[in-house]
Amino acid sequence: MRLTPANRKQPHDRGTPLGAPAVAATVLTGVVALYIALVAFGNITDFGTNQQFVRHVLAMDTTFKDDDLMWRAVESRALQDTAYVAIIAWETLAALVLITATVRWALAVRRGDGSQDRARRLSTVGLLMLMLLFGGGFIGIGGEWFAMWQSKSWNGLDAATRVFTLTGIVLLFIHLPCTGRGRPGAPDEAPDDIPDRAVRH
C-alpha cells in the first residue's frame, strides 16, 4: 500500500475543536457583524428616527447654547442629511466587510489548517471602521465638537461607548497569539511538509 499526499490523512482534516480560540474569533466577529448590519438596516428602513438625532446633534439646539460654542453648529438641513447618509453608508460597508470576515473565519475553522490571516485582516479593517465611526465620529466629533454631552434629549455617548468598547475587545482578541497565525509571507493554505515516501506492508 502506498500513501500519497492525496490519500494521507492530514491533521487539519479533522477541523478545529469547538472550543478553540479561532472559533471564538468567528463568533465574536459574527456578533459585531450582525449588530452593525441590523443598525444599518434599521437606519435604512426607519430613516427618519436617527435622522432627527443627527440633525439635533449637528444643530446643537439642545445643548447649553454657549456663544463660545454655537458657532460650530451646522444648521443646513442638506449638510445634516448628507452627514446622516454618509454614516449609513459607512455602517453598511463595515457590515459587509465583517460579514465577509466571519465567513473567512468559518472556512478557516472548518479546514482547521491555521489559515486565519485573511479573516484576521478583514476583521481588523471592519472593526477599525467601527471604532473610527463610534470613537472618532460619535464620541469625539459628536460628543466634544458638537457638545452632545450637554444634551439630555439627544445624547448617544453611552451607546457609542458600548459599541466602541465591544469592538475594541474583539479587535484585541483576534490579535492574540492563541488565535493562530500563519508564517509571515506564507500563503493561507498549510504546505504539505511531509515527504512523499512509500510505505509498504
Side-chain angles (χ1 to χ4, degrees):
M1 175 181 176
R2 178 181 175 83
L3 295 181
T4 66
N7 59 27
R8 184 184 296 116
K9 188 173 182 61
Q10 302 293 336
H12 60 262
D13 291 341
R14 295 187 293 270
T16 303
L18 185 60
V23 177
T26 305
V27 173
L28 290 174
T29 303
V31 167
V32 179
L34 175 63
Y35 169 77
I36 196 60
L38 292 176
V39 169
F41 180 76
N43 285 337
I44 293 171
T45 57
D46 183 20
F47 189 84
T49 298
N50 282 330
Q51 180 187 37
Q52 295 303 314
F53 169 78
V54 172
R55 284 180 173 179
H56 284 288
V57 169
L58 296 182
M60 301 175 65
D61 54 4
T62 57
T63 63
F64 299 161
K65 296 186 178 180
D66 189 332
D67 290 338
D68 292 333
L69 296 178
M70 289 305 294
W71 62 270
R72 303 175 181 176
V74 176
E75 298 179 349
S76 167
R77 288 295 177 89
L79 291 178
Q80 292 170 355
D81 292 345
T82 298
Y84 182 44
V85 171
I87 290 172
I88 295 175
W90 190 265
E91 291 170 343
T92 303
L93 181 58
L96 292 175
V97 172
L98 288 172
I99 289 171
T100 305
T102 302
V103 173
R104 288 283 188 179
W105 277 113
L107 291 174
V109 166
R110 183 178 180 180
R111 289 195 299 264
D113 58 0
S115 59
Q116 293 113 16
D117 284 347
R118 290 182 181 176
R120 183 179 291 104
R121 288 195 296 268
L122 280 172
S123 298
T124 299
V125 171
L127 294 170
L128 287 177
M129 288 178 68
L130 293 187
M131 296 189 77
L132 183 61
L133 175 63
F134 287 93
F138 289 108
I139 298 176
I141 297 175
E144 292 302 321
W145 183 257
F146 291 106
M148 183 168 60
W149 65 272
Q150 297 179 2
S151 176
K152 293 182 179 180
S153 305
W154 302 97
N155 191 328
L157 287 176
D158 287 344
T161 301
R162 287 195 299 270
V163 177
F164 184 82
T165 302
L166 171 64
T167 305
I169 291 172
V170 176
L171 181 62
L172 289 175
F173 180 82
I174 66 172
H175 282 278
L176 291 176
C178 63
T179 58
R181 292 180 181 275
R183 296 174 302 162
D188 281 346
E189 290 75 14
D192 182 12
D193 54 0
I194 303 176
D196 181 16
R197 290 196 291 263
V199 178
R200 302 183 181 278
H201 297 279

